[in-house]
Amino acid sequence: MENLMKKLFLIAAICWLGIQARADDWLTNLPQAIAKAKAEKKVVLMDFTGSDWCPACMELHKKVLSTTEFNGYASTNLVLMLVDFPSHKPQSDDLKAANQALQEKYGIEGYPTLVLLDGDGKVLYKHIGYDEEPIKTVIANLESAKSGKGK
């Protein structure tokens, strides 16, 4: 029984570290994200969100952006960038100002909004809201936009 408990604890710790690693993959600096995308031949996915107050944003993260399937796709295709407008989570004044500037630059009118950029910063795709689209649909839309066939 003790060995089983140790194994379960080890599995839980590994899972927690995996979740932490995925959460840390979200950048907050656009020039850094674009440079990384260009170097890795990927595209940048910006998630404009209200992470602690927007129900649709929380659902998008829970049902799509935090899943193993999405993270598998993201690891080989995307540089992830979080542009957050929280009510209660602390942010530096610099980050708040940078996020506000990005909101204005990309004409963000609602949350969540996903914006896909190529390695030169050109908008390939923009989607406002989350209507319970399945992961496969979200990935297909991103893939289509990435290949030049999207919205």
Side-chain angles (χ1 to χ4, degrees):
M1 187 67 161
E2 187 176 321
N3 280 341
L4 177 62
M5 292 302 289
K6 286 180 182 178
K7 287 179 183 176
L8 289 174
F9 178 77
L10 182 61
I11 290 169
I14 290 169
C15 289
W16 181 81
L17 287 172
I19 290 168
Q20 289 303 110
R22 282 192 297 260
D24 292 343
D25 287 344
W26 290 86
L27 302 177
T28 57
N29 178 293
L30 184 58
Q32 180 184 12
I34 289 174
K36 183 175 181 178
K38 198 168 205 166
E40 296 178 4
K41 297 186 181 3
K42 294 180 180 180
V43 291
V44 176
L45 178 66
M46 293 193 300
D47 174 28
F48 288 82
T49 185
S51 66
D52 65 359
W53 60 267
C54 168
C57 301
M58 290 183 257
E59 284 298 301
L60 176 63
H61 269 266
K62 178 182 172 185
K63 294 183 176 176
V64 176
L65 303 178
S66 296
T67 65
T68 303
E69 184 176 353
F70 181 82
N71 281 289
Y73 173 77
S75 69
T76 57
N77 293 281
L78 306 173
V79 172
L80 301 172
M81 182 166 163
L82 187 67
V83 187
D84 196 6
F85 296 86
S87 288
H88 306 294
K89 291 179 186 175
Q91 286 184 321
S92 70
D93 289 340
D94 288 344
L95 182 58
K96 286 178 188 177
N99 288 353
Q100 185 64 41
L102 290 172
Q103 180 181 32
E104 291 169 16
K105 178 177 181 174
Y106 293 102
I108 304 305
E109 298 174 359
Y111 302 105
T113 296
L114 297 178
V115 177
L116 192 69
L117 305 175
D118 68 12
D120 294 321
K122 178 184 169 204
V123 175
L124 302 173
Y125 173 82
K126 183 176 176 181
H127 181 80
I128 302 168
Y130 175 61
D131 296 318
E132 302 287 325
E133 298 94 350
I135 296 168
K136 290 185 186 325
T137 301
V138 173
I139 290 172
N141 289 342
L142 294 173
E143 192 61 27
S144 178
K146 202 174 83 163
S147 67
K149 299 175 187 164
K151 302 181 194 183

